[in-house]
Amino acid sequence: MRGRGELIVLLGAAILACAPLLFGVYWTNLLTQAIIFGGAALGLDILVGRTGMPSLGHGAFFGLAGYGVALGVTRWSWNPWLAAAFGILATIAIALAFAPLAVRARGLTFLTVMLAFGQVCWGLATRGGEFTGGENGLPGIRRPSLGLDFWDLDSPDGFYLFTLLVATILTLAIARLAASPVGLSLQGIRDNDRRMLALGYNVAARRVVAFVVAAAAGAVYGALSAFFNGFVGPGSLDWRLSAQLLLSVVIGGAGSLWGPFAAGGALHIVRTYLTGETQRWPMVLGALYVIAVLVLPGGIASIGGVLRRRWRRPRRQAALESAP
Amino acid sequence: MTESALTVDNLTVRFGGIVALADVSLTVRAGSRHGILGPNGSGKTTLFNAITGMIMPQSGRVLLAGREITRLAPHARVSLGLARTFQITSLFPSLTARENVVLAALPALRRHRGAWRPAADREVAERADRLLTDLGLSHLADRPVVSLGYGEQRQLEIAVALATNPRVLLLDEPTAGLSAAETRTVVSLIQRLPADLTIVLIEHDLGVVFDLAEHLTVLAHGERIADGPARFVREDPIVKEVYLGG
């Protein structure tokens, strides 16, 4: 069962790896970002879908790691690898420090606490003066080098494949976590936290684990995004990014992992097209959300089950009618 | 005198000014089937809550196999071998029956930690499946709990409690809300449970109580009004008046 899940991830990765052969630079770059946002949504699903804690501030971890990378490379002239490690580890440390406080809240309260956390980070970035570049952000982030002649991270194809590699490793790790005792217990906590407590699980500690894992995934993709753009700005800490990630989880199918990945990627592609045409992207996002909740309450991930039932029902009906 | 699996010693529980349990004592012999009877509001579920640590009593003691557990946290009592089911079904609705049993079994097996190995490895999965098969529930293993009927959920509730590997099992109205046929299924399931498992059972259905319990404690208004072998308690004039309606 588990072996099959891993096989599907690897198969998906293999198919995506062929994309640069088929598409030009524009689509390769677009897919790079789609994987980044899809991966971040998949990480968030551990917290939202599996553990039942909806966060409207997840973009903060994405942005914080980006700023960590940018400060390291541009302000302190570090090697990009070191800056990446710093950005990711510092973000994980911040998540670890904030988690015990945040997980005391549930449901809407948790959602609001996380929104506030995100807004504080956004405020610090915009008011940070020269240090954070204020509204202008920090440009000029050099990409790291693998030191391989055939794999140049400065080329669109090279960076795309690197992003795909990181996303594949992270997805396999998260899938493995999801199937572990800790992963199963997160679902138990979502369904019935008092019963989990009575069974002997440390519910608060498990919530912290879910929180930090989701934050760590967000941080990795935030660092990738900073390298991809060569720039970080307050936009990466904007609450609308958090909303987009949360809606990716809902539209994709909370708890299914692959659904949020697909929805996160697809939403980014749709957004890229729409922002060229109209200023009303948030409205379209809202409409997509309403449609998804009405038509597919279980998200994209439930589409297989819904179709199967649709297909079976008429047949059973026919069987009943033909019976004497 | 046979060994006592569970002893409740002068237990008093008050909620504000209301006395829910007043000086209640009882002794459950190891391996026995012990029924708790009493009208609504007589303190039966409060007694279970105090025994399992969901609420703390104002005075008195609870002993599990001679060991005092009055102030222990609920999960610590679970690991000492005390399990219960709930009057209102308390399962994990979106998980499958097997996953419900696995979640309950992991802490008892000391395998509930770990983020890098499968939760249901062969040993745990086999144990869960054996338990479901023993209770005649193996056909439900892969079904999510939300899709199960109420009677099936009540049976699974017992399986989940057993998965914690208890020595004493408390059943809070296991047949409440069930049809006559479902009640018979659950009663025969309880009758098939291992003989060395001590069972304390709250039940409203007198037929069920007299089928299952050999020893009865009767509560009324938080006080113990009768205690003894089922056939004697049944004939007790006070019990007849208070509970059986004279």
XYZ file of all heavy atoms in Angstrom, chain A residues 2 172-174 176-202 206, chain B residues 54 74-75 78 84 86 90-95 99 102-104 106-107 111-120 157 160-161 164:
504
model
N 1.818 1.285 0.976
C 2.668 2.441 1.079
C 3.640 2.487 -0.113
O 3.923 3.533 -0.661
C 3.445 2.397 2.386
C 3.869 3.765 2.840
C 4.588 3.699 4.166
N 6.015 3.786 3.974
C 6.841 2.774 4.111
N 6.388 1.601 4.456
N 8.126 2.931 3.927
N 8.078 12.730 -0.669
C 8.257 11.361 -0.174
C 8.383 11.359 1.342
O 7.811 10.510 2.033
C 9.497 10.730 -0.818
C 9.368 10.357 -2.293
C 10.710 9.875 -2.839
C 8.309 9.277 -2.498
N 9.122 12.349 1.875
C 9.305 12.413 3.326
C 7.975 12.693 4.027
O 7.659 12.080 5.049
C 10.340 13.492 3.674
N 7.197 13.616 3.470
C 5.929 13.978 4.104
C 4.947 12.816 4.009
O 4.212 12.526 4.956
C 5.359 15.267 3.477
C 6.199 16.460 3.932
C 3.897 15.472 3.868
C 5.812 17.782 3.313
N 5.738 9.725 3.967
C 6.202 8.724 4.929
C 5.772 9.113 6.343
O 5.321 8.276 7.125
C 7.722 8.620 4.833
C 8.253 7.568 5.731
C 9.550 6.988 5.218
N 9.919 5.908 6.097
C 10.771 4.962 5.797
N 11.344 4.964 4.625
N 11.051 4.024 6.658
N 5.902 10.399 6.637
C 5.440 10.899 7.936
C 3.943 10.657 8.096
O 3.476 10.223 9.151
C 5.738 12.398 8.065
C 5.075 13.073 9.262
C 5.885 12.861 10.531
C 4.844 14.555 9.032
N 3.199 10.921 7.015
C 1.740 10.816 7.099
C 1.302 9.385 7.414
O 0.272 9.182 8.052
C 1.110 11.283 5.789
N 2.097 8.390 6.968
C 1.720 6.995 7.186
C 2.278 6.450 8.499
O 2.019 5.306 8.860
C 2.220 6.142 6.022
N 3.037 7.263 9.224
C 3.697 6.805 10.445
C 2.745 6.907 11.641
O 1.654 7.464 11.521
C 4.929 7.667 10.699
O 4.524 8.933 11.183
N 3.160 6.360 12.790
C 2.317 6.518 13.993
C 1.992 7.984 14.273
O 0.848 8.313 14.610
C 3.180 5.922 15.105
C 4.040 4.925 14.425
C 4.325 5.501 13.065
N 2.974 8.867 14.100
C 2.704 10.287 14.337
C 1.684 10.807 13.327
O 0.733 11.501 13.685
C 4.017 11.103 14.271
C 3.725 12.599 14.222
C 4.899 10.790 15.473
N 1.854 10.425 12.058
C 0.933 10.885 11.025
C -0.493 10.417 11.264
O -1.439 11.198 11.144
N -0.649 9.142 11.635
C -1.991 8.613 11.910
C -2.589 9.311 13.128
O -3.781 9.621 13.159
C -1.912 7.098 12.130
C -3.252 6.371 12.296
C -4.107 6.513 11.039
C -3.027 4.891 12.610
N -1.729 9.587 14.119
C -2.246 10.224 15.332
C -2.740 11.641 15.036
O -3.664 12.125 15.697
C -1.178 10.248 16.428
O -0.175 11.201 16.142
N -2.146 12.304 14.035
C -2.622 13.645 13.675
C -4.067 13.576 13.197
O -4.897 14.410 13.541
C -1.737 14.263 12.590
C -0.279 14.522 12.972
C 0.493 15.100 11.808
C -0.184 15.444 14.171
N -4.390 12.542 12.415
C -5.767 12.378 11.957
C -6.693 12.055 13.125
O -7.835 12.495 13.168
C -5.841 11.265 10.907
C -5.198 11.665 9.599
C -5.251 10.533 8.602
O -4.485 9.587 8.678
N -6.175 10.617 7.672
N -6.177 11.275 14.057
C -6.958 10.984 15.253
C -7.247 12.258 16.034
O -8.356 12.456 16.533
N -6.255 13.140 16.127
C -6.419 14.409 16.843
C -7.459 15.269 16.144
O -8.299 15.897 16.785
C -5.062 15.136 16.944
C -4.158 14.403 17.931
C -5.256 16.596 17.347
C -2.710 14.821 17.882
N -7.423 15.284 14.801
C -8.403 16.052 14.050
C -9.818 15.540 14.334
O -10.742 16.322 14.549
C -8.093 15.935 12.550
C -9.145 16.594 11.649
C -8.981 16.143 10.213
N -9.197 14.695 10.109
C -8.732 13.948 9.129
N -8.025 14.482 8.170
N -8.974 12.646 9.106
N -9.973 14.212 14.368
C -11.301 13.623 14.528
C -11.824 13.719 15.955
O -13.017 13.913 16.172
C -11.270 12.140 14.125
C -11.400 11.966 12.624
O -11.229 12.960 11.909
O -11.664 10.835 12.184
N -10.938 13.533 16.955
C -11.413 13.391 18.326
C -10.228 13.570 19.278
O -9.637 12.601 19.745
C -12.038 11.998 18.493
C -12.854 11.879 19.765
O -12.678 12.657 20.700
N -13.729 10.900 19.805
N -9.892 14.825 19.561
C -8.653 15.058 20.319
C -8.760 14.586 21.769
O -7.786 14.123 22.347
C -8.198 16.527 20.226
C -9.256 17.505 20.673
O -10.410 17.088 20.870
O -8.934 18.693 20.825
N -9.959 14.652 22.362
C -10.097 14.225 23.762
C -9.880 12.720 23.903
O -9.283 12.250 24.863
C -11.472 14.610 24.296
C -11.667 16.117 24.344
C -12.767 16.484 25.298
N -12.569 15.814 26.579
C -13.444 15.844 27.564
N -14.558 16.503 27.423
N -13.200 15.213 28.688
N -10.372 11.988 22.912
C -10.179 10.533 22.945
C -8.696 10.200 22.812
O -8.190 9.279 23.454
C -10.976 9.888 21.813
C -11.045 8.388 21.855
C -12.127 7.937 22.805
N -12.331 6.482 22.757
C -11.711 5.626 23.548
N -10.844 6.072 24.442
N -11.947 4.332 23.461
N -7.993 10.958 21.955
C -6.556 10.735 21.774
C -5.813 10.968 23.088
O -4.904 10.230 23.445
C -6.005 11.672 20.697
C -6.408 11.308 19.294
S -5.817 9.680 18.811
C -4.109 10.047 18.426
N -6.224 12.002 23.796
C -5.636 12.310 25.093
C -5.837 11.128 26.037
O -4.909 10.690 26.716
C -6.326 13.561 25.647
C -5.523 14.562 26.453
C -4.247 14.946 25.758
C -6.379 15.809 26.703
N -7.067 10.609 26.040
C -7.393 9.502 26.945
C -6.632 8.235 26.561
O -6.355 7.397 27.407
C -8.895 9.244 26.939
N -6.289 8.102 25.270
C -5.559 6.911 24.835
C -4.069 6.986 25.177
O -3.360 6.005 25.053
C -5.714 6.703 23.326
C -7.032 6.112 22.840
C -7.098 6.122 21.329
C -7.213 4.685 23.361
N -3.608 8.177 25.575
C -2.217 8.285 25.981
C -1.330 9.016 24.988
O -0.110 8.918 25.062
N -1.935 9.737 24.062
C -1.135 10.530 23.128
C -0.932 11.935 23.681
O -1.851 12.504 24.283
C -1.839 10.632 21.766
C -1.856 9.350 20.987
C -2.901 8.454 21.123
C -0.812 9.032 20.116
C -2.929 7.276 20.403
C -0.835 7.864 19.392
C -1.895 6.981 19.545
O -1.910 5.818 18.827
N 0.255 12.479 23.472
C 0.530 13.860 23.861
C 0.041 14.770 22.733
O 0.770 15.078 21.795
C 2.025 14.039 24.106
C 2.336 15.407 24.688
O 1.545 16.345 24.541
N 3.463 15.518 25.338
N 2.004 16.718 19.528
C 1.758 16.291 18.143
C 1.311 17.471 17.286
O 1.651 17.556 16.108
C 0.702 15.190 18.101
C 1.084 13.980 18.939
C 1.814 12.948 18.102
N 2.562 12.057 18.967
C 2.582 10.737 18.852
N 1.915 10.147 17.894
N 3.299 10.004 19.658
N -11.555 11.097 34.270
C -12.093 12.221 33.498
C -12.537 13.340 34.441
O -12.558 14.505 34.052
C -13.286 11.789 32.636
C -13.090 10.498 31.860
S -11.789 10.585 30.638
C -12.756 10.785 29.164
N -5.909 10.350 32.948
C -6.648 9.288 32.247
C -5.748 8.321 31.469
O -5.914 7.109 31.546
C -7.554 10.067 31.297
C -7.742 11.389 31.942
C -6.479 11.679 32.702
N -4.775 8.877 30.717
C -3.984 7.987 29.856
C -3.058 7.095 30.674
O -2.749 5.980 30.267
C -3.211 8.788 28.807
C -2.143 9.651 29.361
N -0.905 9.180 29.651
C -2.133 10.961 29.687
C -0.166 10.169 30.135
N -0.894 11.247 30.173
N -5.023 4.170 31.450
C -5.132 3.288 30.282
C -3.910 2.376 30.225
O -4.024 1.170 30.026
C -5.255 4.105 28.973
C -5.188 3.184 27.764
C -6.554 4.896 28.959
N -12.293 1.999 28.736
C -13.730 2.221 28.818
C -14.308 2.496 27.444
O -13.606 2.888 26.525
C -14.039 3.407 29.735
C -13.751 4.743 29.080
C -14.231 5.903 29.926
N -15.681 6.011 29.944
C -16.333 7.010 30.555
N -15.660 7.947 31.192
N -17.637 7.055 30.519
N -17.745 4.680 25.732
C -18.503 5.870 26.100
C -19.971 5.688 25.744
O -20.319 4.992 24.794
C -17.935 7.093 25.391
C -16.561 7.472 25.867
C -15.438 6.794 25.408
C -16.389 8.481 26.802
C -14.171 7.127 25.869
C -15.127 8.814 27.258
C -14.022 8.134 26.795
N -17.559 7.324 20.731
C -16.378 8.188 20.741
C -15.275 7.565 19.899
O -14.282 7.095 20.415
C -15.926 8.379 22.185
O -14.901 9.316 22.260
N -15.490 7.571 18.592
C -14.518 6.984 17.675
C -13.892 8.077 16.816
O -14.143 9.262 17.027
C -15.217 5.948 16.782
C -15.805 4.736 17.507
C -16.794 4.021 16.615
C -14.704 3.794 17.947
N -13.062 7.668 15.855
C -12.457 8.611 14.911
C -13.198 8.452 13.584
O -12.907 7.534 12.812
C -10.967 8.329 14.770
C -10.257 8.319 16.087
C -9.847 7.134 16.659
C -10.037 9.505 16.780
C -9.220 7.117 17.890
C -9.412 9.501 18.005
C -8.995 8.314 18.560
N -14.167 9.332 13.321
C -15.134 9.078 12.239
C -14.536 8.970 10.841
O -15.009 8.167 10.040
C -16.104 10.256 12.320
C -15.604 11.176 13.365
C -14.482 10.527 14.103
N -13.496 9.752 10.525
C -13.031 9.707 9.140
C -12.023 8.588 8.912
O -11.642 8.324 7.779
C -12.436 11.059 8.729
O -11.268 11.305 9.463
N -11.594 7.925 9.973
C -10.642 6.826 9.814
C -11.394 5.499 9.657
O -12.552 5.381 10.040
C -9.708 6.758 11.021
C -8.893 8.022 11.296
C -7.955 7.808 12.469
C -8.099 8.436 10.068
N -7.946 1.441 11.308
C -7.130 2.556 11.800
C -7.539 2.970 13.215
O -6.702 3.339 14.039
C -7.229 3.751 10.847
C -6.449 3.542 9.553
C -6.744 4.591 8.484
O -7.859 5.154 8.481
O -5.863 4.840 7.656
N -5.936 0.455 15.420
C -4.480 0.655 15.427
C -4.118 1.838 16.333
O -3.213 1.755 17.166
C -3.949 0.881 13.993
C -2.537 1.436 14.016
C -3.998 -0.425 13.206
N -4.862 2.946 16.204
C -4.563 4.128 17.024
C -4.661 3.813 18.512
O -3.873 4.300 19.311
C -5.545 5.256 16.692
C -5.081 6.312 15.694
C -6.134 7.391 15.546
C -3.760 6.937 16.126
N -5.657 2.983 18.863
C -5.825 2.626 20.272
C -4.756 1.648 20.723
O -4.316 1.674 21.875
C -7.216 2.040 20.497
N -1.560 1.314 19.509
C -0.164 1.771 19.454
C 0.421 2.153 20.823
O 1.523 1.723 21.160
C -0.017 2.933 18.460
C -0.102 2.545 16.975
C -0.129 3.795 16.099
C 1.066 1.668 16.566
N -0.296 2.956 21.655
C 0.306 3.301 22.949
C 0.523 2.080 23.841
O 1.540 1.988 24.536
C -0.704 4.265 23.577
C -1.497 4.793 22.442
C -1.557 3.667 21.446
N 4.354 1.813 20.664
C 4.775 2.076 19.285
C 4.118 3.332 18.740
O 4.008 3.506 17.538
C 4.357 0.909 18.388
C 5.259 -0.291 18.482
C 4.555 -1.458 17.862
N 5.344 -2.667 17.996
C 6.001 -3.216 16.986
N 5.953 -2.711 15.795
N 6.699 -4.307 17.200
N 3.638 4.191 19.636
C 2.903 5.361 19.157
C 3.829 6.513 18.801
O 3.386 7.526 18.316
C 1.865 5.789 20.177
C 2.420 6.145 21.521
N 3.222 5.302 22.222
C 2.284 7.264 22.273
C 3.558 5.878 23.368
N 3.016 7.067 23.418
N 5.127 6.366 19.065
C 6.064 7.404 18.646
C 6.699 6.977 17.329
O 6.598 5.827 16.929
C 7.118 7.621 19.718
C 6.501 8.166 20.997
C 7.553 8.643 21.969
N 6.900 9.090 23.189
C 6.590 8.279 24.197
N 6.913 7.007 24.142
N 5.961 8.738 25.257
N 7.401 7.918 16.690
C 8.060 7.556 15.445
C 7.343 8.178 14.262
O 6.137 8.038 14.119
N 8.123 8.884 13.453
C 7.548 9.566 12.299
C 8.137 9.017 11.011
O 7.908 9.556 9.945
C 7.819 11.064 12.403
N 8.901 7.939 11.127
C 9.626 7.481 9.941
C 9.386 6.010 9.642
O 10.054 5.400 8.835
C 11.134 7.764 10.111
C 11.861 7.829 8.824
C 12.823 6.966 8.380
C 11.674 8.789 7.774
N 13.233 7.336 7.124
C 12.556 8.439 6.723
C 10.840 9.894 7.607
C 12.630 9.163 5.543
C 10.912 10.618 6.430
C 11.811 10.258 5.414
N 8.442 5.391 10.335
C 8.102 3.989 10.028
C 6.585 3.906 9.949
O 5.883 4.720 10.545
C 8.648 3.050 11.092
C 8.214 3.450 12.472
C 8.871 2.622 13.548
N 8.439 3.121 14.839
C 7.277 2.828 15.386
N 6.447 2.030 14.763
N 6.938 3.339 16.549
N 6.059 2.947 9.210
C 4.605 2.882 9.057
C 3.908 2.599 10.381
O 4.413 1.848 11.208
C 4.402 1.745 8.064
C 5.678 0.997 8.030
C 6.762 1.922 8.425
N 2.739 3.233 10.566
C 1.966 3.036 11.797
C 1.496 1.599 11.893
O 1.610 0.948 12.922
C 0.779 3.993 11.816
N 0.947 1.102 10.769
C 0.407 -0.254 10.777
C 1.431 -1.193 10.149
O 1.236 -1.699 9.053
C -0.918 -0.296 10.025
N -16.564 0.275 19.038
C -16.156 0.960 20.273
C -15.551 -0.034 21.275
O -14.537 0.246 21.924
C -17.385 1.649 20.871
C -17.126 2.369 22.157
C -16.999 3.864 21.962
O -17.044 4.327 20.814
O -16.850 4.557 22.945
N -12.124 -1.035 20.027
C -11.126 0.009 20.273
C -10.686 -0.017 21.735
O -9.500 0.098 22.052
C -11.689 1.400 19.881
C -10.828 2.523 20.424
C -11.793 1.508 18.365
N -11.653 -0.214 22.652
C -11.300 -0.289 24.072
C -10.407 -1.505 24.333
O -9.428 -1.423 25.076
C -12.557 -0.353 24.925
N -6.480 -1.466 23.653
C -5.515 -0.912 24.612
C -5.022 -1.989 25.577
O -4.270 -1.691 26.490
C -6.138 0.240 25.428
O -7.211 -0.293 26.230
C -6.689 1.327 24.526
